[in-house]
């Protein structure tokens, strides 16, 4: 049948649906709807009407040509008036069957009806926009009101079926036809839809903003709002994300929690609609009881779900979206469901990666550290792991067993992890963007760390305040390794045989060339471990024949960077380079590490080592300060200090006379100070002994002897000058108890030579060491205690004996004074040996401790003489008793400054308050007595325990008694009886002691 042009034509409105435009023309031409469809070629003549009009979904090319000829509207424009226009943007269309997939994207097909805006129908004469048929349309942005779903009179849904073919349409009115019954025939509702009442919104309402965002999304086909701004996604993926969130909001969130995402009036409208729907019978029910699976039947429900999804996905980034997403996840958990990192895969088929990113960012605080690295939650957009097994194997070949030194320094948390940090950080790189579990990552790098230790380190990293910066550093490093070639194959280096690396002979030769102290064997092991770690990327414990982990070895490792010089470091690098050449690794560099620029701009636990002043660092090293002291002075930590010294060793200092006085280092300095010719002149031609050469040059005689052996000078048997008579030596050494050094100074011999002569004469070696404290004039002491007063610590033993005899048993005395029983027994035996007999009879069952006759005499003598000793002024050492300090060693003054105002303090405190330093020590004791332990006081005061302990000990020496018993094994520190007395007497003078008055 040929197509004729219509006598009257009317242009469609922008965005108008095809069926609305045809109804308007049917009304204008005053012809039934069925006749006009036949004239337009949309229905064959004589074809009975159906409940489904496929041309509303999609026009065939033949139909589009017919309508175009009849109306003069181009076919392309006609296609935009059907649901085909939104295919793959807001719905999924089966083009062959011309049907819409109603369970996908909240799509509504041609038979699902259409919502409407009453104000729009009033203004445009009953014209229906095509967007009203979409499941995502719920608000009219022009009139700021909710779209209506049903006729308020007959409660029917509009445009669910084609207009009746035998009737002329009435635009703007309800076209629903009731079913005929025996009592009443079929009638049309014809209620004016413009009179329908719906909820209205103020400008800027979230429902209006969400609707406008959805319309822009469907129009452009690309989502570039909110979390999608940096990575725009197709409209279908964005709508799938919104549907997944909206469905779970509608299912799981109660009203109280939903109001945190959706305005309160919209939430109440949604729950009223849901209650209304639930009250209907199954045949009358307009929506399924499972909301969100298909397009909601109520605009209120659609608005609530869409606004909730928009409030989450409309945030600027995933970090800001996470708190709102957490409200949804908490509601899901409250319902008894589990939210795993991959749960969003079940939220829809076409979800975008941004939905996963928001979900992962939300659960990031609850993830274990290994899972956080796996999903890269520190990135702006986390994602599920994508690395393949081959890519991870390639990455493992680029990673050393212990992470590069700079990265270990910068990522060391506070408080620092002393053990396993480097191996744990290296294994963590294999967890990034991978499905590896902890044992898999550890195995790939040679099982250098156990799984519990790796877990412990990762938890320590998570507890650090800069945890996010640590994660970003590891993520950026792993990404760099995946995208760049590394010049070292660490997997091959881990397989090399390092048994021949740096033998001891090579180390000795290196030290001679660089004037470095070789140490006594431990330093060679440290240097070998140092070079092994540098080459292999493995911990020093994996070196063949590893050294014993002793305190001396650990201390030497800590100190090694301080003794390493630039020359020695360069020599070690040459030895390492030669080792690689022997193993056919000529093309690989000795060491390599990723660029430091990867760490720029990250908030990390430790500062950049480059900020340390090298001049100050080298000055502290040359001053001989300990590593801890240097780290404290420079405001850094030991790991950073060792790294900087490794990169920039302190230059060797010029040898001096004082620098050669002790140790093997004097040998290397002596090489520069005495040549072979000079040594031959002193030792061979002038026949000077080493002791005389030491006095002449200031170089230690042991270093001189070793230097003579190195120069190949034959050493002669030493014959000491002068002779010693046996009787005279016995008189001076045994009877007068003079030291070997004192006798040697008088005879012009060394102390060792005098000792050798004493051994030749059969004189037993004695401990004639003089006490370091000033001696008193003991000539006035009673005769019974005279034999012990010349001994070291004699006064302390006598005072201890007087205190002990007051108790019934030695055990009770030990417990009161905090003395170990073995210490007390040893002191009493020494006193009994000096006095020539037993002093007391130990307590036994049924009998207390009793004194012997000698013991009673000693007690009486000490009590009589004690007052004289207390009143006797302290004397300084006689000139003959003074021993000169060793060269190069600072010696504290033997003359402390006497403090004035001694008479203002009680007599008990006089031994401690004679000097200003003593008053400070006593004041510190008063403060520490209030704490459960000395360590607790040190933490609060910022004082080092190594500084406090000697001060307390010095104070106890001043008082000649023990003040406190240290806390140990879970027991608090407590004061002795004597300490309680001192505390009670000194407490009123605390202010004077604090000011030093």
């Amino acid at each position: 049948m040929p197509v004729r042009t219509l006598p009257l034509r009317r242009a469609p409105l922008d965005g108008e649906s095809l069926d609305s435009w045809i109804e308007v023309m049917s009304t204008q031409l005053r012809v039934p709807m069925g006749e006009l469809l036949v004239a337009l070629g949309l229905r064959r003549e004589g074809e009975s009407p159906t409940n489904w009009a496929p041309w509303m979904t999609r026009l065939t090319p033949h139909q589009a040509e017919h309508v175009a000829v009849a109306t003069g509207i181009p076919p392309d424009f006609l296609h935009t008036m059907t649901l085909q226009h939104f295919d793959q943007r807001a719905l999924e269309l089966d083009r062959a069957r011309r049907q819409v997939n109603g369970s996908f994207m909240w799509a509504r097909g041609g038979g699902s009806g259409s919502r409407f805006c009453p104000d729009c129908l009033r203004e445009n004469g009953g014209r229906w926009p095509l967007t009203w048929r979409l499941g995502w349309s719920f608000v009219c942005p022009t009139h700021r009101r909710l779209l209506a779903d049903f006729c308020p009179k007959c409660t029917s849904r509009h445009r669910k079926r084609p207009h009746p073919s035998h009737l002329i349409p009435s635009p703007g009115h309800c076209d629903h036809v009731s079913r005929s019954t025996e009592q009443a025939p079929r009638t049309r509702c014809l209620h004016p839809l413009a009179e329908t009442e719906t909820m209205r919104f103020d400008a800027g309402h979230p429902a209006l903003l969400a609707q406008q965002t959805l319309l822009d999304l469907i129009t452009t086909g690309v989502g570039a709002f909110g979390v999608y701004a940096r990575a725009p996604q197709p409209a279908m993926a964005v709508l799938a994300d919104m549907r997944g969130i909206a469905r779970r909001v509608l299912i799981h969130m109660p009203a109280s929690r939903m109001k945190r995402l959706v305005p309160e009036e919209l939430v109440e409208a949604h729950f009223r609609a849901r209650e209304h729907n639930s009250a209907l019978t199954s045949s009358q029910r307009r929506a399924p009881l499972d909301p969100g699976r298909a397009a909601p039947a109520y605009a209120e429900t659609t608005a609530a779900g869409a606004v909730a999804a928009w409030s989450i996905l409309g945030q600027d980034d995933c970090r800001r979206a996470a708190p709102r997403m957490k409200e949804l996840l908490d509601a899901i958990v409250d319902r008894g469901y589990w939210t795993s990192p991959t749960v969003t895969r079940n939220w829809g088929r076409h979800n975008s990666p941004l939905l996963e990113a928001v979900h992962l960012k939300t659960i990031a605080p609850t993830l274990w550290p290994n899972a956080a690295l796996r999903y890269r939650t520190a990135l702006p957009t986390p994602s599920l792991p994508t690395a393949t097994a081959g890519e991870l194997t390639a990455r493992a070949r680029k990673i050393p067993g212990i992470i590069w030194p700079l990265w270990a320094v910068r990522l060391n948390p506070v408080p620092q992890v002393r053990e396993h940090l480097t191996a744990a950080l290296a294994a963590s790189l294999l967890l990034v963007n991978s499905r590896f579990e902890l044992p898999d990552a550890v195995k790939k790098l040679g099982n250098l760390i156990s799984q519990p230790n790796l877990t412990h380190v990762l938890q320590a990293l998570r507890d650090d305040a800069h945890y996010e910066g640590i994660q970003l550093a590891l993520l950026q490093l792993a990404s760099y390794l995946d995208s760049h070639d590394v010049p070292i194959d660490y997997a091959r280096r881990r397989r090399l045989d390092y048994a021949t690396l740096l033998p001891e002979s090579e180390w000795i030769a290196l030290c001679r060339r660089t004037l470095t102290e070789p140490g006594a064997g431990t330093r060679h092991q440290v240097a070998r471990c140092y070079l092994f770690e540098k080459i292999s990327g493995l911990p020093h414990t994996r070196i063949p024949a590893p050294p014993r982990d002793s305190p001396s070895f650990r201390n030497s490792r800590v100190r090694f960077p301080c003794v390493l010089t630039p020359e020695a470091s360069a020599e070690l690098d040459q030895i390492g380079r030669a080792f690689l050449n022997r193993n056919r690794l000529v093309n690989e560099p000795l060491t390599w590490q990723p660029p430091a620029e990867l760490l720029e701009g990250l908030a990390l636990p430790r500062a950049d080592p480059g900020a340390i002043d090298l001049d100050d660092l080298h000055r502290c090293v040359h001053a001989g300060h300990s590593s801890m002291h240097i780290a404290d002075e420079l405001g850094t930590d030991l790991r950073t200090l060792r790294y900087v010294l490794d990169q920039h060793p302190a230059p060797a200092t010029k040898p001096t006379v004082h620098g050669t006085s002790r140790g093997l280092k004097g040998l290397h300095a002596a090489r520069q100070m005495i040549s072979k010719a000079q040594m031959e002149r002193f030792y061979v031609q002038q026949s000077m002994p080493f002791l005389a050469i030491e006095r002449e040059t200031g170089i230690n005689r042991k270093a001189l002897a070793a230097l003579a052996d190195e120069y190949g000078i034959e050493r002669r048997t030493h014959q000491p000058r002068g002779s010693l008579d046996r009787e005279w030596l016995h008189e001076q050494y045994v009877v007068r108890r003079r030291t070997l050094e004192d006798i040697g100074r008088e005879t012009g011999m060394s102390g060792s030579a005098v000792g050798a002569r004493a051994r030749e004469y059969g004189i037993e070696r004695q401990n004639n060491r003089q006490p370091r404290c000033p001696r008193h004039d003991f000539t006035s002491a009673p005769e019974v205690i005279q034999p012990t007063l010349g001994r070291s610590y004699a006064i302390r033993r006598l005072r201890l004996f007087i205190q002990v005899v007051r108790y019934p048993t030695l055990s009770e005395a030990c417990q009161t004074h905090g003395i170990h029983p073995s210490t007390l027994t040893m002191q009493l035996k020494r006193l009994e040996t000096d006095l020539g007999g037993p002093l007391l009879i130990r307590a036994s069952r049924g009998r207390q401790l009793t004194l012997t006759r000698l013991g009673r005499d000693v007690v009486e003598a000490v009590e009589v003489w004690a007052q004289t000793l207390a009143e006797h002024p302290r004397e300084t050492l006689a000139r003959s008793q003074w021993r000169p300090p060793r060269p190069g060693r600072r010696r504290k003054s033997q003359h402390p400054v006497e403090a004035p105002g001694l008479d203002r303090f009680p007599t008990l405190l006089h031994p401690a308050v004679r000097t200003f330093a003593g008053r400070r020590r006593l004041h510190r004791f008063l403060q520490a007595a209030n704490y459960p332990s000395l360590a607790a006081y040190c933490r609060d005061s910022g004082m080092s325990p190594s500084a406090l302990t000697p001060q307390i000990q010095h104070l106890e020496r001043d008082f000649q008694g023990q003040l406190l018993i240290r806390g140990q094994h879970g027991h608090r520190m407590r004061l002795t009886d004597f300490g309680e007395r001192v505390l009670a007497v000194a407490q009123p003078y605390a202010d004077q002691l604090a000011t030093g008055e």
Side-chain angles (χ1 to χ4, degrees), residues 47 85 143 202 289 435 578 596 612 728 860:
E47 182 180 358
H85 179 61
H143 300 100
D202 296 330
L289 294 180
R435 294 179 175 84
I612 295 179
W728 181 85
E860 293 175 359

Side-chain angles (χ1 to χ4, degrees), residues 147-173:
L147 297 182
D149 291 288
F150 311 102
C151 171
K153 180 180 179 181
C154 66
T155 67
S156 62
R157 192 189 301 273
H158 295 281
R159 315 189 82 76
K160 189 174 182 180
R161 300 179 180 86
H163 193 278
S165 301
H166 61 285
L167 299 176
I168 298 175
S170 299
H173 293 75

Side-chain angles (χ1 to χ4, degrees), residues 837-908:
L839 299 176
L840 49 81
I841 301 173
R842 273 65 170 175
S844 61
R845 180 175 298 177
R847 185 180 64 183
Q848 294 185 351
L849 181 147
T850 57
L851 294 174
T852 63
R853 181 178 183 81
L854 177 61
R856 288 193 295 272
D857 293 342
V858 170
V859 171
E860 293 175 359
V862 171
E863 291 178 348
V864 172
W865 183 66
Q867 183 65 26
T868 304
L869 180 62
E871 296 175 354
H872 196 286
R874 293 193 176 192
E875 300 179 358
T876 59
L877 285 171
R879 184 63 183 172
S880 61
Q881 297 172 335
W882 179 79
R883 293 182 296 176
R886 292 174 176 172
R889 170 180 289 186
R890 296 183 59 187
R891 189 177 183 89
K892 295 182 180 179
S893 173
Q894 295 285 347
H895 308 283
V897 179
E898 295 286 340
L902 183 65
D903 55 345
R904 290 181 296 180
F905 294 94
T907 305
L908 179 64

